[in-house]
Amino acid sequence: MAVYSHMTMSLDGYIADPKDGTGELFGWYGAGDVTVPSADERWSFQVDADSARMLRDVLAGVGALICGRRLFDLTNGWDDSHPIGAPVVVVTHNAPRDAGERPRTTFVGGVAEGIARAKEIAGEKDVSIASADIARQALDLELVDEVVVSLVPVLLGAGIPYFAGLTNAPHRFDDPVVIQGRRATHLRYRVRR
C-alpha cells in the first residue's frame, strides 16, 4: 500500500489555468487508440499503449481517493461515484449539508486525518491524492510515498501550481521511472525518507 499523488502538469508547473481550466492539459487522455475504461461507464480514456499501461497500473490499485472541498464542489462530488471506482475522502473544515447522503464520501477536517482515514478505507490498496494543495501538505507531513507527474508539452504562464508553498522543502525523490506517452511524459518518483 502506498500514498501517491498523480497530476497532469504543464512544463511550467501548473495543473490548471487561472480559471480552473484543464483543456490544454488533458488532451493526452484522448490522444491514442487504446481504451482504458473507468469504473464509471460514462467515462473512458483513449490513450497510447504506454500511457494505457501507466493508467491501468495507477487506477487498478486505488482503494481510496483524497481531494479537497474545492475539487469536490467543482465536480459535484462526482455524484458519489468517482470514475476511479474508489471511495472519496474530502478534506474540509466545512462539510456540505448533504454530507450524510453520500455513503461513498467521507468528510474530515485535516490532511493527516484524511490520509489516516483513506488508509483505513483502502485496506491493502493504494491511496491517491487528487489535490495539489493536499499533496503539498501531505509532502510536508512526510505522508506521501510517490509523486506521479504526467508532464504535458505546454506552457500555461499562470494558473494553479502543483508544488507551491512547500514549508518543509527541499523534498527529495529517487530517479524517476519514465514512460513516454503521446502528448505526455509520465514520471513516477519515489519519495526519499
Side-chain angles (χ1 to χ4, degrees), residues 132-179:
D133 189 50
I134 292 170
R136 174 193 56 80
Q137 292 177 64
L139 272 167
D140 280 339
L141 292 169
E142 297 185 358
L143 298 173
V144 177
D145 302 306
E146 185 177 21
V147 172
V148 182
V149 177
S150 292
L151 191 62
V152 176
V154 66
L155 297 171
L156 294 179
I160 299 168
Y162 193 175
F163 300 111
L166 292 164
T167 58
N168 291 329
H171 294 282
R172 293 178 180 83
F173 305 91
D174 290 340
D175 291 336
V177 172
V178 180
I179 301 162

Side-chain angles (χ1 to χ4, degrees), residues 73-90:
D73 287 345
L74 284 170
T75 62
N76 190 33
W78 300 278
D79 297 322
D80 204 38
S81 180
H82 191 280
I84 207 167
V88 175
V89 175
V90 181

Side-chain angles (χ1 to χ4, degrees), residues 12-90:
D12 51 351
Y14 297 107
I15 61 159
D17 68 25
K19 295 180 180 178
D20 281 319
T22 56
E24 290 286 340
L25 298 172
F26 285 4
W28 73 272
Y29 284 115
D33 54 6
V34 178
T35 301
V36 178
S38 74
D40 185 329
E41 62 189 38
R42 296 175 296 173
W43 306 98
S44 65
F45 308 104
Q46 292 296 129
V47 296
D48 61 274
D50 291 327
S51 294
R53 279 191 289 281
M54 184 279 302
L55 264 180
R56 286 184 184 118
D57 184 44
V58 168
L59 296 175
V62 177
L65 179 121
I66 300 173
C67 73
R69 177 67 191 267
R70 187 167 145 269
L71 180 58
F72 175 84
D73 287 345
L74 284 170
T75 62
N76 190 33
W78 300 278
D79 297 322
D80 204 38
S81 180
H82 191 280
I84 207 167
V88 175
V89 175
V90 181

